[in-house]
Amino acid sequence: PVCPPRASSSRRVSGPSSRVLSSHQAGTATGARGFGASSIATRSSRWTRLRDGRSDKNGRRSLSVCTASLAFGFADAVGFFADPSPGLLPAACANTLVFVAGIKTLLKGLTWPGVLNAWFLGTAACAAFGLGGYVLVCLYFVLGSAVTKLRLEQKQREGIAEARGGRRGVGSVWGSGVAGFVCALLALSGTAPVAQELWRLGFVASFCSKLSDTTASEVGKAYGKTTYMSTPPFKPVKRGTEGAVSLEGTLAGIGASVVFASAAACLRQVDFRGALVCAFAAFVATTAESWLGAAIQGRAGFEWLDNDVVNGVQIVLAAAIAVAVGGAVGA
């Protein structure tokens, strides 16, 4: 039998140069793509056309439908991995799959509340900055957790180890990621008077700075031979003192920021100039964090200024420096 013609899925968009758009293009034109809706609508339309089609003479309609469905799914997956800003819905789905598959690994470095809060951070990073931004958050988690475990038993004996065997809680998650989270939300909103690429630069710089700080602190506590206060008169102090620095820790922190900025460049989150800006912002912010810790953290009247708050100030400063300098030099 002859199939009756079906109504076109296209619709007309009014304007000075009126033209006919496909359903996928129309979804993109109306802004649906930002949340992954157009991809879903297009796939649904294709599936409907296949479902309503007639069997071929060999009765292989089911095989054809399955093959086509797999092809559409593969194309969508490729599109997601290649998209520099896939949107909230695809990012939330992908991030949930990663968290479910890697929950045992996550719980080695985070408490359960920390895991739940980290999900929001990972989703925002992936939605705004794509797979590359998401990989950077994962890289920070892996490297930060690894350096925290350096000579852990020695640091526990000296009373300078992180609590819970190095497992980070809610405060540590946001003390490490609040600046990156805000940069991601501002990039997604598209309303702030700053280009998305500058928010990406601020995002990278915030994690670059935090990894530098974590590495400097943990290496200094594990291997530092002589530790000094970071403010005049630079008196020698015990390892683990707030605001103290060591040569070993400082060099390790600088190395960590260079490695992270280089990884960001390899993942095409920043270019070479942007990587230099991130490393510079990380050094300035980490130095400022040491001064802040040495000068007022824990002093009378500043009891609220705990380590997580100081870390939050540090990464916000790093992101702000990167956005400002990046905008000035065109990074």
Side-chain angles (χ1 to χ4, degrees), residues 33-37 40 80 86-96 123 127:
R33 186 177 176 280
F35 296 93
I40 296 173
F80 169 77
L88 286 172
L89 182 58
C93 294
N95 190 37
T96 300
T123 296

Side-chain angles (χ1 to χ4, degrees), residues 179-232:
F181 183 74
V182 171
C183 286
L185 293 184
L186 290 172
L188 283 171
S189 71
T191 57
V194 175
Q196 184 186 37
E197 292 310 307
L198 287 179
W199 292 128
R200 190 186 301 270
L201 191 67
F203 167 83
V204 173
S206 69
F207 284 101
C208 191
S209 176
K210 190 64 192 76
L211 180 63
S212 176
D213 173 58
T214 300
T215 303
S217 176
E218 297 299 333
V219 169
K221 288 190 289 186
Y223 300 102
K225 295 180 179 179
T226 305
T227 309
Y228 301 90
M229 289 300 290
S230 56
T231 53

Side-chain angles (χ1 to χ4, degrees), residues 62-306:
S62 297
L63 179 60
S64 299
V65 169
C66 290
T67 302
S69 179
L70 288 173
F72 296 152
F74 178 75
D76 287 338
V78 170
F80 169 77
F81 288 125
D83 197 329
S85 183
L88 286 172
L89 182 58
C93 294
N95 190 37
T96 300
L97 289 175
V98 171
F99 268 57
V100 170
I103 189 62
K104 290 184 178 179
T105 300
L106 287 168
L107 287 174
K108 291 180 181 179
L110 297 169
T111 62
W112 267 109
V115 169
L116 295 176
N117 281 263
W119 182 90
F120 291 99
L121 174 60
T123 296
C126 185
F129 305 124
L131 181 63
Y134 189 77
V135 169
L136 287 178
V137 176
C138 295
L139 180 64
Y140 164 76
F141 172 75
V142 171
L143 295 181
S145 297
V147 296
T148 301
K149 305 290 185 182
L150 291 174
R151 293 192 173 181
L152 182 59
E153 293 183 358
Q154 170 192 307
K155 289 185 285 189
Q156 287 174 333
R157 287 194 303 269
E158 296 176 3
I160 57 176
E162 290 291 327
R164 299 180 295 269
R167 294 176 69 206
R168 310 284 178 154
V170 175
S172 292
V173 169
W174 294 116
S176 301
V178 65
F181 183 74
V182 171
C183 286
L185 293 184
L186 290 172
L188 283 171
S189 71
T191 57
V194 175
Q196 184 186 37
E197 292 310 307
L198 287 179
W199 292 128
R200 190 186 301 270
L201 191 67
F203 167 83
V204 173
S206 69
F207 284 101
C208 191
S209 176
K210 190 64 192 76
L211 180 63
S212 176
D213 173 58
T214 300
T215 303
S217 176
E218 297 299 333
V219 169
K221 288 190 289 186
Y223 300 102
K225 295 180 179 179
T226 305
T227 309
Y228 301 90
M229 289 300 290
S230 56
T231 53
F234 309 108
K235 295 187 298 184
V237 292
K238 290 177 56 178
R239 288 189 298 190
T241 303
E242 289 294 345
V245 296
S246 66
L247 176 62
E248 295 83 359
T250 300
L251 292 178
I254 293 172
S257 66
V258 170
V259 168
F260 194 87
S262 300
C266 291
L267 292 168
R268 298 186 177 181
Q269 291 294 296
V270 295
D271 57 14
F272 177 73
R273 185 182 299 177
L276 292 178
V277 169
C278 289
F280 169 75
F283 178 78
V284 173
T286 302
T287 302
E289 188 269 349
S290 295
W291 290 346
L292 187 62
I296 62 175
Q297 185 176 348
R299 302 291 177 87
F302 293 95
E303 291 81 6
W304 55 272
L305 194 66
D306 61 14

Side-chain angles (χ1 to χ4, degrees), residues 3 50-62 64:
C3 297
L50 281 169
R51 182 195 64 193
D52 294 341
R54 297 294 188 267
S55 302
D56 62 21
K57 62 182 180 180
N58 295 320
R60 296 179 179 175
R61 180 169 66 92
S62 297
S64 299

